[in-house]
Amino acid sequence: MFMEMLRFCIIDNNYLEFENKIYQQKQGVPMGSPISPILADIVMEALLEDVIEKLVSKPKIITKYVDDLFAIVKSDCVSITVEALNSFHRKIQFTVEAEKEGRLAYLDVQAVRDNGKIIFDWFKKPTSSGRLINFHSKQPKQVIFNTAQNFINKVLDYSHINFRNKNIKIIENTLCSNAFPAHVINKLIQNSKNKCTPTPPNDQLPISYRSALYIPSLSNRIKTAPLRNKEKTRIAFKSALTLRTFLFTNTKGKKKKMDKSDVVYKIKCAGGSETDCSSVYVGTSKQKLRNRLSGHRSDINNGGSQKTALALHCIEKNHKPNFDDVTILEVERHHNKRMLLEMLHINNTDNAVNRRSDCDSLSIIYNQLITNKKKQSS
């Protein structure tokens, strides 16, 4: 039964859409699925258990991380071991990398022979650029310091004492190339050397975090301001610039306008048979835009049974909305943020037919800012 359910979920029911075409994945497990890494780990465990059982000369040590293996085997048994691993399944094939001069890289560490023992050194890939967050980047200083501190901790934790001095030089050069001042570098390295076991949590109430956009100078003042309930609520700042904003790659097909959801949209009134109308309706929808427009059409045809501002305007004036020229103003998945964006657009739109109550929840601060902006532009 379990295998039948598994086959149904990852094979029989595994579809994707791209460029308005539907595809079915024939082999492997889907990328991004929560169950995929679990299944991959189960397969690797079964592979090792099956292969090691069949080997005459078993590895002294063999361990794995996902699909990367580290093993200690006799030099004359390497090819036999690799052949056994590759015989498990034709789609699972391994390559081998042997030690050179008593060293072998595995993930972020390098295993080193040392008088019959194995010690470890931090391993930096040749393709590594050494790029971290620049010290002068427009990011919260705590994020910049934590990024550098985590980098230092990782390098020193992975390094045997024999390699500490060498790696500290690398740390200093890396941070210096990212514009960190020398005194900051020294302090961060010293913090890593003096780090101790974290104190256990106390019985106080859990702290609630709220995120806010990071604005240089202003955000630091807000964080240190004497706010109420500071012990219970903390502000975590985030940057407006993320990798998503740069759109380095987009492997997904673009959605048509009518298939987009979580939107704030604008509908212009086309007026009546003999009169023009400049009125505009601003709305929001979690569902697909085409479904929301279908609801508007139904509401108008049924005499405004849902009593939306758009339907009431069209029925009272005998006007028709221009459903063929709908504009998407915003796309926002977060409900509260989408509601706020809708109110802002309603308040900032001339000739909006929306009810006054649609903006009742909008802070007076926003109203004043919008009013000032309109005065400046007029």
Side-chain angles (χ1 to χ4, degrees):
M1 178 62 72
F2 174 75
M3 294 303 297
E4 291 178 2
M5 293 174 59
L6 200 59
R7 176 177 292 276
F8 173 77
C9 291
I10 67 173
I11 298 179
D12 298 338
N13 203 30
N14 185 18
Y15 297 92
L16 61 96
E17 180 183 357
F18 184 76
E19 298 292 343
N20 298 322
K21 293 183 179 180
I22 305 296
Y23 297 87
Q24 183 181 24
Q25 184 171 337
K26 294 292 187 181
Q27 296 178 349
V29 292
M31 292 182 63
S33 173
I35 199 173
S36 296
I38 299 174
L39 294 178
D41 195 59
I42 292 174
V43 171
M44 286 298 298
E45 287 290 344
L47 182 149
L48 291 178
E49 185 177 343
D50 180 81
V51 171
I52 294 175
E53 184 66 26
K54 295 177 181 178
L55 290 174
V56 177
S57 179
K58 294 178 172 49
K60 188 171 184 179
I61 292 176
I62 185 166
T63 186
K64 70 172 179 65
Y65 180 80
V66 190
D67 58 347
D68 288 321
L69 302 179
F70 178 85
I72 298 177
V73 299
K74 294 180 179 179
S75 56
D76 56 350
C77 296
V78 173
S79 58
I80 297 174
T81 304
V82 175
E83 288 177 5
L85 291 169
N86 290 337
S87 65
F88 181 80
H89 193 280
R90 61 185 181 84
K91 291 290 184 179
I92 305 177
Q93 299 295 298
F94 293 87
T95 58
V96 62
E97 181 180 352
E99 64 174 302
K100 295 180 181 178
E101 299 179 353
R103 289 174 171 262
L104 179 63
Y106 181 63
L107 303 177
D108 286 342
V109 299
Q110 193 170 55
V112 182
R113 286 180 180 265
D114 182 61
N115 297 325
K117 299 184 299 181
I118 294 179
I119 59 177
F120 295 97
D121 187 13
W122 172 63
F123 176 69
K124 178 183 177 182
K125 294 182 179 179
T127 55
S128 174
S129 64
R131 178 72 62 87
L132 300 175
I133 296 180
N134 191 280
F135 184 78
H136 302 294
S137 176
K138 194 176 73 171
Q139 301 278 351
K141 280 301 179 184
Q142 194 62 38
V143 172
I144 296 175
F145 289 140
N146 286 345
T147 301
Q149 191 71 71
N150 290 337
F151 167 69
I152 296 171
N153 292 344
K154 181 181 76 170
V155 173
L156 297 185
D157 287 346
Y158 289 178
S159 306
H160 188 270
I161 191 172
N162 294 354
F163 309 111
R164 286 290 180 90
N165 292 335
K166 168 185 73 79
N167 288 335
I168 286 177
K169 292 293 183 184
I170 297 176
I171 291 171
E172 292 173 344
N173 292 335
T174 301
L175 295 182
C176 183
S177 65
N178 287 276
F180 278 75
H183 70 278
V184 174
I185 297 174
N186 293 333
K187 183 177 180 180
L188 292 174
I189 292 175
Q190 195 61 39
N191 289 343
S192 183
K193 291 180 178 179
N194 297 337
K195 66 180 180 178
C196 58
T197 305
T199 56
N202 53 30
D203 296 331
Q204 293 180 351
L205 294 175
I207 297 175
S208 175
Y209 283 89
R210 296 291 183 267
S211 65
L213 190 65
Y214 177 74
I215 303 174
S217 70
L218 176 61
S219 297
N220 294 333
R221 290 164 59 189
I222 293 175
K223 195 168 185 177
T224 56
L227 302 176
R228 293 181 61 187
N229 296 328
K230 192 172 183 180
E231 295 77 12
K232 298 179 181 180
T233 305
R234 304 280 177 84
I235 300 177
F237 294 104
K238 60 182 180 181
S239 173
L241 295 178
T242 62
L243 290 178
R244 185 183 294 274
T245 61
F246 290 98
L247 295 177
F248 287 120
T249 180
N250 187 5
T251 58
K252 295 185 178 180
K254 291 184 178 180
K255 284 186 177 180
K256 293 183 178 180
K257 180 169 68 174
M258 292 299 171
D259 290 329
K260 291 185 177 180
S261 55
D262 298 318
V263 296
V264 177
Y265 59 90
K266 178 174 69 175
I267 303 175
K268 295 180 180 180
C269 181
S273 57
E274 298 180 356
T275 59
D276 294 330
C277 184
S278 60
S279 298
V280 176
Y281 174 80
V282 177
T284 181
S285 176
K286 180 174 180 58
Q287 58 184 324
K288 289 184 178 180
L289 183 58
R290 68 169 71 253
N291 297 337
R292 186 68 189 100
L293 297 184
S294 177
H296 281 306
R297 289 190 181 95
S298 177
D299 190 25
I300 295 172
N301 294 334
N302 293 332
S305 59
Q306 299 299 322
K307 297 183 179 180
T308 62
L310 177 64
L312 294 177
H313 170 81
C314 293
I315 293 170
E316 291 174 0
K317 303 289 185 180
N318 197 22
H319 287 182
K320 292 183 179 180
N322 189 356
F323 287 125
D324 296 328
D325 188 25
V326 179
T327 303
I328 293 179
L329 302 173
E330 306 282 352
V331 178
E332 174 56 60
R333 295 180 61 185
H334 193 281
H335 174 78
N336 292 340
K337 292 180 181 179
R338 193 170 65 252
M339 296 299 106
L340 174 60
L341 289 170
E342 181 195 25
M343 290 188 288
L344 288 172
H345 279 288
I346 292 173
N347 217 344
N348 197 34
T349 300
D350 295 327
N351 302 321
V353 300
N354 299 76
R355 301 185 185 90
R356 183 178 298 274
S357 59
D358 290 340
C359 297
D360 283 347
S361 300
L362 189 64
S363 171
I364 191 173
I365 297 175
Y366 291 114
N367 285 325
Q368 188 62 44
L369 290 173
I370 293 172
T371 302
N372 293 341
K373 182 180 178 182
K374 287 182 176 179
K375 289 180 180 179
Q376 292 173 0
S377 59
S378 61

